[in-house]
């Protein structure tokens, strides 16, 4: 089952880390598009940001065009994990 999301997120570093990231609604990301909030500038993967598809995170590349603490609009698809109960 694929779910789609389109929302604004603000890059921030977690305590003890210097890498700014955003946590999305789910893992197993696909079709990720990162834009400015006016939706008139699309950022480039592996130049402006890195996608961690398994953790559902986007990491800001400091040398890219996304500024520290910037809010961006992210559109993406994800597949929620399928947890099945095991009877013992």
């Amino acid at each position: 089952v694929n779910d789609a999301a389109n929302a604004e997120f603000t890059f921030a570093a977690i305590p003890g880390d210097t890498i700014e990231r955003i946590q999305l609604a789910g893992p197993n990301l696909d079709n990720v598009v990162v834009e400015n909030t006016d939706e008139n500038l699309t950022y480039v993967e592996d130049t402006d940001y890195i996608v961690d598809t398994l953790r559902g995170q986007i990491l800001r590349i400091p040398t890219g065009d996304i500024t520290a603490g910037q809010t961006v609009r992210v559109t993406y698809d994800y597949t929620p994990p399928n947890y099945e109960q095991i009877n013992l």
Side-chain angles (χ1 to χ4, degrees), residues 17-65:
D17 197 351
T18 58
I19 298 172
E20 289 191 351
R21 66 190 75 214
I22 51 181
Q23 181 66 53
L24 304 177
N28 307 315
L29 303 175
D30 196 19
N31 303 316
V32 176
V33 177
V34 179
E35 301 174 292
N36 64 350
T37 54
D38 293 334
E39 299 181 46
N40 61 5
L41 174 62
T42 301
Y43 297 106
V44 179
E45 185 175 356
D46 296 326
T47 298
D48 300 315
Y49 64 92
I50 297 169
V51 177
D52 183 338
T53 59
L54 296 179
R55 291 189 178 106
Q57 296 180 346
I58 298 179
L59 293 76
R60 184 181 75 85
I61 297 175
T63 56
D65 288 337

